[in-house]
């Protein structure tokens, strides 16, 4: 199963969760060549969000393999709202 960012999934213990993104964690990374020794991949996700995105302090991180074991079906794509600012006219 491929896990993608900005997607809501059904999680075994947490209900609906929003996957924010997938991060690659490197042991070493060379900025000159743009490559490195990959250590692992992790999923950043939250079970607490509003229409704009994750609530502060609610983001969790877990290895992708562990996340796949606990997640069910993809429910929907998350479309964040655009902040609306008022202007003095």
């Amino acid at each position: 199963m491929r896990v993608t960012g900005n997607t809501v999934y059904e999680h075994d213990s947490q209900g609906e969760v929003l996957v924010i993104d997938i991060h690659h964690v490197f042991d070493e990374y060379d900025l000159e060549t743009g490559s490195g020794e990959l250590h692992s991949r992790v999923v950043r996700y939250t079970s607490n969000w509003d229409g704009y995105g994750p609530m502060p302090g609610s983001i969790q991180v877990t290895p992708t393999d562990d996340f796949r074991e606990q997640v069910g079906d993809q429910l929907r794509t998350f479309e964040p709202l655009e902040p609306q600012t008022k202007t003095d006219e």
Side-chain angles (χ1 to χ4, degrees), residues 42-62:
V42 295
V43 178
R44 287 183 17 155
Y45 69 98
T46 183
S47 60
N48 191 10
W49 72 92
D50 63 12
Y52 297 100
M55 301 305 285
S58 69
I59 297 172
Q60 300 178 52
V61 178
T62 190

Side-chain angles (χ1 to χ4, degrees), residues 4-24:
T4 58
N6 289 326
T7 306
V8 178
Y9 290 89
E10 185 65 36
H11 192 277
D12 289 346
S13 63
Q14 298 184 34
E16 291 187 1
V17 295
L18 169 62
V19 171
I20 301 161
D21 51 22
I22 312 299
H23 280 283
H24 298 271

Side-chain angles (χ1 to χ4, degrees), residues 20-85:
I20 301 161
D21 51 22
I22 312 299
H23 280 283
H24 298 271
V25 179
F26 292 91
D27 287 329
E28 297 176 7
Y29 192 82
D30 184 351
L31 295 174
E32 296 289 324
T33 63
S35 65
E37 183 179 325
L38 183 63
H39 175 70
S40 67
R41 292 181 344 142
V42 295
V43 178
R44 287 183 17 155
Y45 69 98
T46 183
S47 60
N48 191 10
W49 72 92
D50 63 12
Y52 297 100
M55 301 305 285
S58 69
I59 297 172
Q60 300 178 52
V61 178
T62 190
T64 54
D65 291 339
D66 293 347
F67 185 79
R68 282 189 191 113
E69 291 175 6
Q70 299 177 29
V71 78
D73 295 330
Q74 175 180 331
L75 300 177
R76 63 187 174 278
T77 301
F78 176 70
E79 302 280 340
L81 299 172
E82 291 294 322
Q84 296 183 10
T85 57

